[in-house]
Amino acid sequence: MVVSNHRPTRVVVDLAAIKANVQQEVQKQQGKRDVFAVVKANGYGHGAVPVAKAALAGGAAGFCVATLDEGIALRENGLTAPILVMGIVEVAWLPLILQYDLAIPVATNLWIEEARAFYQEHQLTGDIAVHVTFDTGMGRIGFQTVEEVLAAMQQLDQTAGFFVEGLFTHFATADDVDFTYFERQNERFKQVINQLPYRPRYVHGSNSAATMWHEDQGNLIRLGIGMYGYNPSGSALTNPYPLQPALSLESALVQVKQVPAGEGIGYGKTYETTVTEWIGTVPIGYADGYVRRMQGFKVLVEGQVCEIVGRVCMDQLMVRLPKAFPVGTKVTLIGKNQGNEITLQEVADYLGTIHYEVICLLSDRIPRDYLNSEGILT
Ligand SMILES: Cc1ncc(COP(=O)(O)O)c(C=O)c1O
């Protein structure tokens, strides 16, 4: 999608907040665990490269991404710290893994066999760092039993071109008020850790929620949502320490008009003015990831709450204003505006989803602007 710079709609990312959130986690670990910044999905919609740089400044030791291409993009933008691709990568891409010095997960014996054959057949050179993945109860990727994990490690140790850099699991309910299932998964993880023939460089299970409300035996935290400043549980559990939200979504009024009573607003005429009303148009819509179900929610204009009236269009939406604001007046869809605030959590709650989804849906059409440590746009 073409980035639409010539329009007032912007995601504004406070890089100092990202840095501070990482710094806080790094300090909490007191050198016992490294922190890898999870910058998959374009840094949860914030922009992977600027986020990665801010995370490094906050003390992150490496990065996690979901796909090979996300890892390559970081390398091509000059980031040299360790990168773990967390999703399964086809063996056909092993040359790229070597070229870009990425670590990858290993989740099945079939993959090990195919990777060994591919490596030999294509006469590859160099060592590929792999993280053996243990599915302790997420049901997503990984070996399913302690025995399988240990056997896979043995296999890999005997396979030229591969070395076990890590062992990891992923917790399904670390953000839940009920700790039972977390503890069951963690118990399985402990079982394998206790039987390891040697400890790989990285042993890891913790995402943001796990590091906030639990402890595992790993030496690496995969910090995602907490780094962006959001409570992983939404509002189910209380943050043990404050986080600084990094993202705002802003636009501006592009037209303001008085509409007489009885007129329809938007497709389907789902809203009709009851009296003479001031209606403002904001250039953001569902093609920007600001979805149709936001109808009836609110924006802030000069600190005042204004309802989104009528259907959200592909590129525009309409709001009911308390008075005639001038064209160009700032509109805040997420974030602070003159002493008032719309939190990302409120948006997620309105949509009946999680905040992760809201920020990941903000499309590439919206430019990302960055505030530096002085709060100045860079
Ligand atoms: C394997 C894995 N680790 C870590 C994370 C980061 O999780 P969070 O953003 O909750 O910290 C994710 C994100 O979904 C993940 O899939």
Side-chain angles (χ1 to χ4, degrees):
M1 208 177 286
V2 174
V3 181
S4 293
N5 285 309
H6 300 93
R7 183 180 73 148
T9 304
R10 292 277 181 281
V11 163
V12 181
V13 179
D14 181 352
L15 294 175
I18 303 237
K19 181 179 162 190
N21 292 328
V22 175
Q23 223 160 18
Q24 177 166 252
E25 184 63 36
V26 169
Q27 278 162 8
K28 192 185 95 182
Q29 297 306 332
Q30 298 180 324
K32 294 194 189 98
R33 294 187 182 86
D34 281 345
V35 174
F36 273 26
V38 181
V39 295
K40 60 186 176 146
N42 196 26
Y44 292 35
H46 294 62
V49 172
V51 167
K53 289 181 180 167
L56 275 186
F63 307 108
C64 295
V65 293
T67 68
L68 174 53
D69 303 85
E70 290 174 347
I72 292 173
L74 292 183
R75 287 281 182 256
E76 288 190 335
N77 280 281
L79 292 150
T80 56
I83 298 174
L84 170 63
V85 178
M86 299 189 294
I88 291 172
V89 179
E90 283 173 44
V91 298
W93 308 124
L94 289 180
L96 286 174
I97 294 292
L98 280 165
Q99 184 186 341
Y100 287 97
D101 187 21
L102 304 168
I104 49 172
V106 171
T108 64
N109 287 320
L110 180 63
W111 190 96
I112 298 176
E113 281 163 32
E114 287 177 356
R116 181 191 292 135
F118 186 95
Y119 191 95
Q120 284 169 5
E121 201 181 311
H122 292 81
Q123 299 178 348
L124 301 182
T125 53
D127 285 337
I128 295 172
V130 295
H131 290 220
V132 174
T133 312
F134 184 18
D135 180 6
T136 55
M138 175 73 179
R140 195 164 64 177
I141 61 169
F143 295 95
Q144 286 166 278
T145 64
V146 173
E147 293 70 34
E148 281 174 8
V149 170
L150 297 174
M153 284 181 67
Q154 207 175 18
Q155 281 281 325
L156 287 159
D157 289 341
Q158 292 161 4
T159 305
F162 296 84
F163 73 99
V164 178
E165 183 190 58
L167 165 72
F168 80 108
T169 194
H170 191 53
F171 295 111
T173 62
D175 57 353
D176 202 302
V177 285
D178 182 350
F179 286 13
T180 321
Y181 195 71
F182 176 90
E183 276 153 18
R184 187 167 125 188
Q185 279 195 263
N186 203 17
E187 208 42 54
R188 286 188 187 154
F189 195 36
K190 268 190 218 158
Q191 271 176 29
V192 87
I193 292 170
N194 291 339
Q195 293 179 52
L196 287 174
Y198 61 93
R199 215 175 147 108
R201 177 167 177 207
Y202 296 119
V203 173
H204 50 115
S206 283
N207 57 1
S208 304
T211 185
M212 287 170 89
W213 295 296
H214 306 274
E215 200 161 323
D216 66 37
Q217 291 192 344
N219 61 356
L220 171 65
I221 309 291
R222 304 187 305 265
L223 185 69
I225 199 79
M227 166 175 65
Y228 301 98
Y230 302 103
N231 178 335
S233 76
S235 27
L237 294 164
T238 309
N239 282 350
Y241 34 79
L243 295 169
Q244 298 181 33
L247 180 142
S248 303
L249 177 61
E250 297 173 356
S251 189
L253 297 170
V254 290
Q255 185 174 349
V256 175
K257 58 187 173 292
Q258 212 167 23
V259 179
E263 291 296 317
I265 304 290
Y267 288 118
K269 190 178 165 284
T270 59
Y271 179 80
E272 191 179 299
T273 50
T274 50
V275 290
T276 301
E277 295 177 20
W278 285 103
I279 299 292
T281 304
V282 187
I284 184 169
Y286 62 79
D288 299 292
Y290 200 82
V291 298
R292 289 174 94 226
R293 275 174 297 129
M294 294 310 292
Q295 176 173 356
F297 192 63
K298 58 185 177 179
V299 303
L300 297 173
V301 185
E302 287 189 359
Q304 299 194 52
V305 173
C306 305
E307 185 184 336
I308 298 170
V309 290
R311 287 192 182 140
V312 173
C313 311
M314 190 184 293
D315 321 299
Q316 301 172 81
L317 57 81
M318 281 68 81
V319 294
R320 188 180 58 235
L321 303 171
K323 61 174 194 177
F325 291 109
V327 163
T329 305
K330 179 171 150 181
V331 174
T332 300
L333 298 105
I334 300 171
K336 293 187 177 139
N337 184 316
Q338 296 189 17
N340 212 338
E341 183 174 9
I342 296 176
T343 65
L344 178 60
Q345 188 59 44
E346 281 179 88
V347 177
D349 288 344
Y350 189 78
L351 289 174
T353 186
I354 52 171
H355 41 30
Y356 295 75
E357 191 175 29
V358 176
I359 45 184
C360 286
L361 283 180
L362 295 174
S363 80
D364 291 349
R365 190 163 78 175
I366 309 177
R368 270 62 175 172
D369 285 352
Y370 295 95
L371 297 174
N372 65 15
S373 50
E374 279 86 49
I376 295 165
L377 278 178
T378 55

